[in-house]
Amino acid sequence: MNKDSIKINELLDLSETEYSFLFKGLTYPFEVLPLIKQKFDECVRSLNSYEYNRIKDGVFVHKSVTVLKSVYLGRNIIIGKDVDLRNAAFLRENVIIGDNCVVGNSCELKNVLMFNKAKAPHFNYLGDTVMGYNSHIGAGVKISNLKLDESTVVLKIGDELIDTKLRKFGAIVGDNAQVGCNAVLNPGTILGKDVLVYPLTSVRGVIDKKSICKSAELIVERK
């Protein structure tokens, strides 16, 4: 495994987001995280105005979506077609949700891009994170976005180091990856496509595609 394994096209199918233009000129998917806020107005301009309701300043919701009274929508929010937005979801700021996604009860999202069919259905925290196409995190999964010493996140891949220059960076969850209940993804976690993470696991670093992470010490090939 080397730095090429965490390039955008190795982790994410850009045809499964309406906002693929955010990745133009980028090499690694974590580079998109600051752009969710910086290019939010460009994302809004790409919307079909006949299909979206402007709920309030900076909040745009597809007409197919029901917003319950218990749902909190902060600022810079886009919610796509046929999203299942459940009770007490808390979308703080800078959140872009693709089509057919699930944001479940009591989930908190901040600076997040969800590709189509991504699912965070129960009691989840997602901070500074990209969830790929058809990825899924189980009940109680937390994606931590800030190191305890608040230093920038440095990725280690074999003998190579990549300084992301990001103080806040949760996870990149690759297409079709699945994370079991009550797992924790520590700052700077990258899950490749089709990765499985066992419940209650604390994950750090890069997990290569088509792997099963049974614990921090035991990662095997998925057959």
Side-chain angles (χ1 to χ4, degrees):
M1 187 168 56
N2 55 40
K3 289 191 289 188
D4 288 343
S5 67
I6 64 166
K7 289 184 175 179
I8 292 166
N9 290 336
E10 289 294 318
L11 298 168
L12 303 167
D13 180 354
L14 295 184
S15 71
E16 290 295 345
T17 175
E18 297 295 323
Y19 311 97
S20 59
F21 57 83
L22 292 175
F23 293 87
K24 185 176 180 180
L26 306 183
T27 302
Y28 302 112
F30 56 80
E31 295 174 313
V32 82
L33 293 172
L35 303 183
I36 298 173
K37 178 181 180 179
Q38 294 172 18
K39 295 192 174 183
F40 184 80
D41 289 343
E42 188 176 344
C43 294
V44 171
R45 289 193 293 271
S46 73
L47 300 176
N48 184 331
S49 60
Y50 294 102
E51 295 183 1
Y52 282 79
N53 290 319
R54 179 177 174 275
I55 301 297
K56 62 179 183 179
D57 189 31
V59 177
F60 301 85
V61 180
H62 195 276
K63 292 180 179 179
S64 62
V65 176
T66 299
V67 179
L68 302 175
K69 290 183 178 180
S70 61
V71 170
Y72 175 84
L73 301 176
R75 59 184 179 180
N76 294 353
I77 309 292
I78 297 174
I79 300 173
K81 182 180 179 182
D82 293 325
V83 169
D84 185 0
L85 191 60
R86 297 177 181 170
N87 181 58
F90 183 54
L91 280 57
R92 281 171 52 188
E93 58 184 359
N94 309 320
V95 175
I96 299 177
I97 301 173
D99 298 342
N100 301 108
C101 292
V102 177
V103 178
N105 55 301
S106 303
C107 291
E108 180 179 352
L109 279 66
K110 174 258 176 188
N111 201 52
V112 171
L113 173 61
M114 295 178 73
F115 280 50
N116 299 336
K117 294 189 177 181
K119 300 173 181 66
H122 310 286
F123 306 105
N124 305 120
Y125 175 73
L126 288 75
D128 300 277
T129 287
V130 177
M131 287 192 66
Y133 169 71
N134 199 41
S135 59
H136 177 276
I137 58 176
V141 169
K142 304 299 187 288
I143 299 180
S144 175
N145 63 332
L146 182 64
K147 295 168 63 177
L148 292 177
D149 64 3
E150 300 190 10
S151 61
T152 58
V153 175
V154 177
L155 303 176
K156 184 176 181 181
I157 307 174
D159 295 328
E160 299 178 285
L161 297 177
I162 301 176
D163 185 355
T164 68
K165 299 178 181 173
L166 297 172
R167 193 172 66 91
K168 291 191 175 182
F169 169 19
I172 307 296
V173 182
D175 295 343
N176 299 303
Q178 298 188 54
V179 182
C181 295
N182 291 316
V184 174
L185 305 186
N186 290 283
T189 295
I190 297 181
L191 305 182
K193 291 183 178 181
D194 301 301
V195 162
L196 299 182
V197 175
Y198 272 24
L200 298 173
T201 304
S202 179
V203 184
R204 183 183 304 277
V206 180
I207 308 299
D208 202 11
K209 62 184 178 181
K210 295 185 178 179
S211 297
I212 302 175
C213 179
K214 297 185 176 183
S215 70
E217 296 77 25
L218 182 58
I219 300 170
V220 300
E221 181 182 358
R222 181 178 178 184
K223 296 180 181 180

